[in-house]
Amino acid sequence: MMNQNDMEYNRSIADYRNEDTGNSSNFTKGLFIGGLIGAAAALLFAPKPGRELRGDLSYRMGEVSDKTKEVACVVGDKASEIAKTVSSKTTDLAKTVSDNTSTVLSSVKQATADVTDEARKASENVAEEAKKASENVNSEAQKSSNNIANEAKNATSQVAATSEKATSEANRELNRSSNHSSTNH
């Protein structure tokens, strides 16, 4: 996914590539310099007196020197311009990378915080559910224990009542039997 800075950078690179890179200009300069060198060679081989030849050479050397200075100045200006463009694009690219790195780091930190928060909440929920389950088991055990104790108490009371009743009846029977036997004697 390209952001605005990436698109601008790509557009600038395309514009730079489409610019006149100076090929025709370089050719013309080369042709001119070649012509000067050819003229100097022609002067050297032309039948002229030494003084006149030296004057022509001096004049031509001055022209070549001036043209060389002009070419060097133009090349220096172009190199400076290209260096500024490269520097600007490098700065933009570094800023884009930095911004994207910050965004990614921020997203990772947020995701980590979200996962940590969800894990903490899940842990708290599990602990709460375990506590409730433990309380429910404890409550049910208490109820069951109380029910068993009450049933045992009721059973004991019933056994005691039945035992008391049986003892009473046995005593009555014994008394009747004793009375019946004492009356028969």
Side-chain angles (χ1 to χ4, degrees):
M1 207 166 160
M2 293 180 86
N3 65 24
Q4 184 68 24
N5 288 337
D6 292 337
M7 289 188 295
E8 287 176 15
Y9 176 74
N10 288 338
R11 192 170 33 246
S12 295
I13 292 295
D15 290 346
Y16 175 74
R17 287 182 183 153
N18 292 333
E19 282 182 6
D20 179 19
T21 56
N23 287 339
S24 62
S25 173
N26 289 340
F27 178 76
T28 305
K29 290 174 189 171
L31 186 62
F32 179 74
I33 292 172
L36 289 176
I37 292 173
L43 287 174
L44 286 175
F45 293 111
K48 285 188 176 182
R51 188 180 197 118
E52 195 177 315
L53 181 61
R54 284 192 299 271
D56 286 347
L57 283 177
S58 178
Y59 174 73
R60 296 289 180 200
M61 286 302 286
E63 282 184 354
V64 168
S65 177
D66 290 344
K67 289 296 179 182
T68 303
K69 287 177 185 176
E70 284 179 31
V71 169
C73 187
V74 169
V75 168
D77 290 346
K78 281 286 187 183
S80 177
E81 200 175 295
I82 290 170
K84 286 178 185 175
T85 302
V86 167
S87 175
S88 172
K89 295 304 177 187
T90 303
T91 301
D92 291 346
L93 182 61
K95 185 179 182 303
T96 300
V97 168
S98 176
D99 291 347
N100 288 340
T101 301
S102 297
T103 302
V104 168
L105 286 175
S106 176
S107 296
V108 167
K109 285 180 183 178
Q110 184 60 43
T112 302
D114 290 347
V115 167
T116 301
D117 190 45
E118 288 297 320
R120 182 188 51 76
K121 286 178 182 176
S123 176
E124 289 172 358
N125 287 344
V126 167
E128 185 65 31
E129 290 298 319
K131 184 178 176 184
K132 285 179 183 177
S134 174
E135 288 171 356
N136 287 343
V137 166
N138 189 23
S139 175
E140 289 298 319
Q142 186 66 36
K143 285 179 186 175
S144 293
S145 177
N146 288 341
N147 286 343
I148 291 171
N150 286 337
E151 286 177 10
K153 187 177 175 184
N154 289 341
T156 303
S157 294
Q158 285 177 354
V159 166
T162 304
S163 175
E164 214 175 278
K165 193 176 180 183
T167 303
S168 272
E169 282 183 28
N171 281 341
R172 269 188 255 148
E173 269 309 306
L174 242 157
N175 282 340
R176 248 191 264 162
S177 265
S178 283
N179 283 340
H180 192 332
S181 61
S182 34
T183 44
N184 281 343
H185 282 287

